[in-house]
Amino acid sequence: WTAPGARCCVSPGPEATSAPAHSPNDLSAPRNRPEGKVLETVGVFEAPKQHGKYETGQLFLHSVFGYRGIVLFPWQARLYDRDVASPVTEKSENATGHGSKEVKGKTHTYYQVLIDARDCPHISQRSQTEAVTFLANHDDSRALYAIPGLDYVSHEDILPYSSTDQVPIQHELFERFLMYDQTKVPPFVARDTLCAWQEKNHPWLELSDVHRETTENIRVTVIPFYMGMREAQNSHVYWWRYCIRLENLDSEVVQLRERHWRIFSLSGTLETVRGRGVVGREPVLSKEQPAFQYSSHVSLQASSGHMWGTFRFERPDGSHFDVRIPPFSLESNKDEKTPPSGLHW
């Protein structure tokens, strides 16, 4: 059995194992082994939690991208799902003139996680592994720095497992953030450095709103993050990062060809952005690799705004269709905090 789109499989016993070493879906680093002969043991699967949340130190396999990871801490987000009918389905016009259904946000658990560095090369075609970026601490208003292998994962994306390995995840921050304690379940507990880092960078890490909409079996999920404000040429420039996941819920192969964004700023400007693909790519979404995830950035000369738009996809027969990007707000933090603190210990 294989998880949907995952690069792991389960033997008849309870152990979670990686795929054959020659496969592009391999969970482990490439090794010189006979083709298709070896399954490498990762750990023992546990039953996914239907209720409650996973604790710091929980090992997991990502059910969509298949990488090994470990939970750092949970976030409570408001999920605005336009695929779920609201009690009131009237159309409303927002400040941008973009008609949409009124949707109520439901609380949903997401997790800040570390990705195993050994798996990053195998998921690079489907997901950017440097999911978290910050504004730099100096005067260059366009400078960003990234923390590689840090992701946000929805509760249902987690396939929990346990391992007897004291360092089961390879990541530069693993041993800085977590330590092994065999008396605990899970046996990895937060160090003071993790607690201090979370507290100091809370406003820049916080995941508060998630937006989701499905068009013709293509689901688009958007998570915006406020990154802070910089002064440039006697004006204020506000920055946001947004993470987008595209998922093909059907068996038909489709390819993303174009993006079309509308960006409304509270200052009164409305910008239109068109272009080929996303982040220089035109990803193919298939039954074998149904999802693609990427991050990008946007800046406004106002403290808030909205974004919405469409992705144009192509079918195997050459026909095209547009997939809606759910409209989402760009809101700045009301109380400006000090600039984010990175990896300077």
Side-chain angles (χ1 to χ4, degrees):
W1 172 84
T2 55
R7 295 191 324 287
C8 62
C9 64
V10 180
S11 62
E15 290 182 331
T17 56
S18 72
H22 78 289
S23 167
N25 291 334
D26 188 4
L27 269 174
S28 64
R31 301 197 182 158
N32 295 321
R33 289 176 174 165
E35 285 197 7
K37 299 300 183 186
V38 179
L39 290 174
E40 182 179 351
T41 299
V42 172
V44 179
F45 268 139
E46 300 170 346
K49 285 191 175 183
Q50 302 301 319
H51 305 286
K53 60 179 182 286
Y54 296 103
E55 301 298 327
T56 296
Q58 176 65 60
L59 294 165
F60 69 93
L61 295 171
H62 195 295
S63 69
V64 176
F65 296 113
Y67 61 70
R68 288 165 286 186
I70 193 165
V71 170
L72 294 181
F73 43 82
W75 291 112
Q76 289 301 116
R78 292 184 299 273
L79 173 62
Y80 296 92
D81 193 341
R82 284 170 170 76
D83 302 332
V84 178
S86 300
V88 180
T89 56
E90 296 176 6
K91 295 275 185 177
S92 68
E93 293 288 326
N94 62 23
T96 65
H98 179 71
S100 65
K101 287 190 298 185
E102 285 283 3
V103 289
K104 296 271 195 294
K106 291 188 176 181
T107 302
H108 195 71
T109 303
Y110 276 72
Y111 300 93
Q112 195 101 55
V113 307
L114 293 182
I115 302 174
D116 195 308
R118 293 167 293 184
D119 297 339
C120 291
H122 304 292
I123 62 173
S124 62
Q125 293 301 308
R126 292 186 284 161
S127 176
Q128 291 178 331
T129 53
E130 54 283 318
V132 173
T133 50
F134 294 94
L135 286 174
N137 280 328
H138 48 76
D139 294 334
D140 184 349
S141 64
R142 297 185 68 86
L144 300 171
Y145 67 86
I147 301 178
L150 198 63
D151 201 1
Y152 292 88
V153 177
S154 175
H155 184 84
E156 62 268 19
D157 288 340
I158 286 185
L159 296 173
Y161 74 92
S162 59
S163 171
T164 56
D165 189 346
Q166 293 191 20
V167 187
I169 300 296
Q170 291 187 13
H171 189 288
E172 61 177 330
L173 297 179
F174 179 84
E175 293 184 86
R176 291 185 182 180
F177 281 172
L178 299 158
M179 59 183 170
Y180 184 77
D181 184 344
Q182 62 181 3
T183 67
K184 304 290 187 180
V185 179
F188 305 99
V189 296
R191 293 183 184 272
D192 291 343
T193 47
L194 175 58
C195 300
W197 182 77
Q198 179 189 8
E199 184 177 354
K200 187 176 293 186
N201 291 300
H202 182 279
W204 322 102
L205 294 170
E206 183 175 12
L207 177 155
S208 57
D209 293 344
V210 179
H211 303 266
R212 193 159 69 191
E213 185 168 3
T214 303
T215 309
E216 297 200 36
N217 289 314
I218 305 297
R219 183 164 65 195
V220 179
T221 304
V222 184
I223 309 176
F225 300 87
Y226 178 57
M227 295 176 61
M229 180 270 292
R230 287 286 183 271
E231 292 189 21
Q233 299 174 344
N234 298 321
S235 67
H236 291 168
V237 179
Y238 297 81
W239 284 83
W240 289 264
R241 178 180 75 257
Y242 55 92
C243 180
I244 291 188
R245 185 195 293 186
L246 305 167
E247 291 178 87
N248 185 358
L249 306 179
D250 199 3
S251 58
E252 182 180 55
V253 177
V254 296
Q255 185 169 12
L256 190 153
R257 290 301 193 187
E258 298 175 17
R259 68 187 185 280
H260 179 199
W261 283 106
R262 307 294 297 277
I263 306 166
F264 175 79
S265 169
L266 194 63
S267 62
T269 62
L270 179 61
E271 184 181 0
T272 298
V273 178
R274 290 182 181 272
R276 296 283 296 183
V278 290
V279 291
R281 307 265 286 277
E282 296 182 21
V284 174
L285 303 183
S286 63
K287 189 175 181 180
E288 293 72 32
Q289 297 194 351
F292 180 79
Q293 181 173 299
Y294 75 97
S295 295
S296 192
H297 303 88
V298 63
S299 62
L300 301 177
Q301 290 188 320
S303 59
S304 64
H306 290 83
M307 288 179 68
W308 72 96
T310 54
F311 292 121
R312 176 153 291 185
F313 280 84
E314 184 178 344
R315 299 185 182 93
D317 64 7
S319 62
H320 294 84
F321 63 100
D322 288 336
V323 170
R324 289 185 297 277
I325 304 170
F328 57 97
S329 298
L330 301 171
E331 298 291 346
S332 62
N333 290 0
K334 296 299 181 281
D335 50 335
E336 284 291 333
K337 305 292 196 303
T338 55
S341 171
L343 306 179
H344 311 294
W345 305 103

